[in-house]
């Protein structure tokens, strides 16, 4: 009977001149579709499958060759908007629906800068300081809205992986390749949940830095609403419905 390995389980708002948009499309051969949608030939049911391969490769593990289940596919689809940093795209990319894979936080070359979001938000020209607060509030609210669906999906995937792990010792004639792919998929799923958790912690740190600078540069009573929403997101992130411990432990600790 094959040995069973234990599974470790436990965020278009900016204006941009129309002329510049047309120039960008003409010169850059943009890959996006109309009205901000990703071009059809760049979309597929498994368009976010790369998340698992990126996560496992970044910690020196091999990705599973198993096909994604519906729950695993949904987990990756819901993870991407929380992994992509807010305000990370130039305006033309947001309009034209550009899409690209992102490096995981386990890549040593990735350096988190908690000031980047706030500097992009504050330095960009705005007609009114209120619009900066509006952007910040919208970003935080979007993360809060995405939180529950993602972690509901994560709970389902983690619970099914527990059952998968318990079943390994009961499967007849289980090949080493099948066993390795099953274990790799469980590690892969756990790493994706942990990746989102780290990204949420980074977003909260960035949101707080941005709000502090807005308060001293353009004080407004609306700052209290932003602070309340950031606090709500922080409370949810500190107590997620499911926790996972990846193969190499936590990659970063975010303060602030």
């Amino acid at each position: 009977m094959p040995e069973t390995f234990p599974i470790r389980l436990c965020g278009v708002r900016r204006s941009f001149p129309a002329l510049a948009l047309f120039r960008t499309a003409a010169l850059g051969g943009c890959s996006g579709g109309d009205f901000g949608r990703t071009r059809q030939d760049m979309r597929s049911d498994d368009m976010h499958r790369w998340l698992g391969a990126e996560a496992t490769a970044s910690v020196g593990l091999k990705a599973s060759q198993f096909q994604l289940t519906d729950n695993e596919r949904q987990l990756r689809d819901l993870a991407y908007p929380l992994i992509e940093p807010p305000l990370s795209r130039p305006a033309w990319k947001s309009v034209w629906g550009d899409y690209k894979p992102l490096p995981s936080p386990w890549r040593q070359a990735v350096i988190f800068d908690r000031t980047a979001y706030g500097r992009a938000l504050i330095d960009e020209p705005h007609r009114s300081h209120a619009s900066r607060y509006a952007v910040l509030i919208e970003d935080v609210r979007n993360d809060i809205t995405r939180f529950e669906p993602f972690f509901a999906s994560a709970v389902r995937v983690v619970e099914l992986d527990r059952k998968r792990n318990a079943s390994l010792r009961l499967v007849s004639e289980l090949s080493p390749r099948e066993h390795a792919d099953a274990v790799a998929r469980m590690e892969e799923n756990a790493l994706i949940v942990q990746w989102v958790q780290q990204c949420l912690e980074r977003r909260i740190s960035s949101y707080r830095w941005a709000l502090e600078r807005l308060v001293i540069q353009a004080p407004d009573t609306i700052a209290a609403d932003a602070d309340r929403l950031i606090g709500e997101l922080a409370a949810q992130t500190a107590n997620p419905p499911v926790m996972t411990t990846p193969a190499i432990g936590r990659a970063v600790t975010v303060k602030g």
Side-chain angles (χ1 to χ4, degrees):
M1 185 69 64
E3 180 183 0
T4 300
F5 291 81
I7 181 174
R8 291 178 278 271
L9 296 174
C10 285
V12 180
R13 61 176 67 91
R14 287 176 287 177
S15 61
F16 199 86
L19 180 58
L21 283 174
F22 283 110
R23 286 176 176 172
T24 302
L27 296 176
C30 183
S31 61
D34 295 333
F35 307 113
R37 294 188 295 266
T38 302
R39 206 171 62 190
Q40 284 298 324
D41 60 358
M42 298 185 67
R43 300 181 61 181
S44 70
D45 289 343
D46 287 347
M47 68 182 293
H48 294 120
R49 182 186 179 94
W50 63 268
L51 285 171
E54 166 62 23
T56 52
S58 67
V59 297
L61 300 176
K62 291 184 178 180
S64 174
Q65 297 304 305
F66 286 167
Q67 295 185 20
L68 294 175
T69 67
D70 291 342
N71 287 319
E72 290 169 344
R73 186 177 295 111
Q74 182 186 56
L75 180 76
R76 287 150 179 77
D77 290 343
L78 294 173
Y80 184 81
L82 291 168
I83 287 172
E84 184 183 41
L87 293 185
S88 62
R89 305 185 192 183
W92 69 267
K93 286 190 175 183
S94 295
V95 171
W96 294 99
D98 192 31
Y99 173 85
K100 64 178 181 179
L102 302 166
S104 80
W106 294 280
R107 298 285 184 187
Q108 294 300 311
V110 178
I111 301 175
F112 170 60
D113 180 5
R114 70 185 295 248
T115 73
Y117 171 84
R119 287 186 286 104
L121 177 66
I122 294 170
D123 293 346
E124 186 180 61
H126 287 73
R127 295 184 64 184
S128 168
H129 71 272
S131 63
R132 291 181 172 89
Y133 281 104
V135 169
L136 174 60
I137 288 173
E138 180 185 356
D139 284 337
V140 180
R141 186 177 286 120
N142 284 341
D143 288 346
I144 293 173
T145 301
R146 293 168 179 145
F147 186 95
E148 184 176 352
F150 172 78
F151 278 100
S153 177
V155 167
R156 289 192 297 271
V157 169
V158 168
E159 182 57 32
L160 288 171
D161 275 349
R162 289 194 180 106
K163 295 179 179 179
R164 188 205 314 248
N165 188 60
S167 299
L168 287 176
R169 65 175 64 91
L170 305 175
V171 177
S172 61
E173 301 179 1
L174 183 68
S175 70
R177 175 66 179 272
E178 289 175 318
H179 186 279
D181 278 334
V183 173
R185 178 52 51 82
M186 292 186 285
E187 292 282 13
E188 187 178 316
N189 292 334
L191 284 165
I192 289 174
V193 177
Q194 224 270 343
W195 186 350
V196 169
Q197 181 74 17
Q198 292 185 35
C199 288
L200 283 169
E201 293 173 0
R202 291 178 171 187
R203 284 172 182 248
I204 293 165
S205 180
S206 296
Y207 292 150
R208 284 178 169 157
W209 190 93
L211 179 60
E212 290 169 356
R213 269 63 193 178
L214 281 174
V215 167
I216 62 174
Q217 294 187 30
D220 195 295
T221 56
I222 198 174
D225 294 332
D227 184 59
R228 176 183 58 79
L229 287 171
I230 295 172
E232 181 180 344
L233 179 61
Q236 290 180 332
T237 301
N239 299 281
V242 62
M243 294 290 292
T244 63
T245 303
I248 61 167
R250 297 190 62 79
V252 296
T253 299
V254 179
K255 301 294 184 181

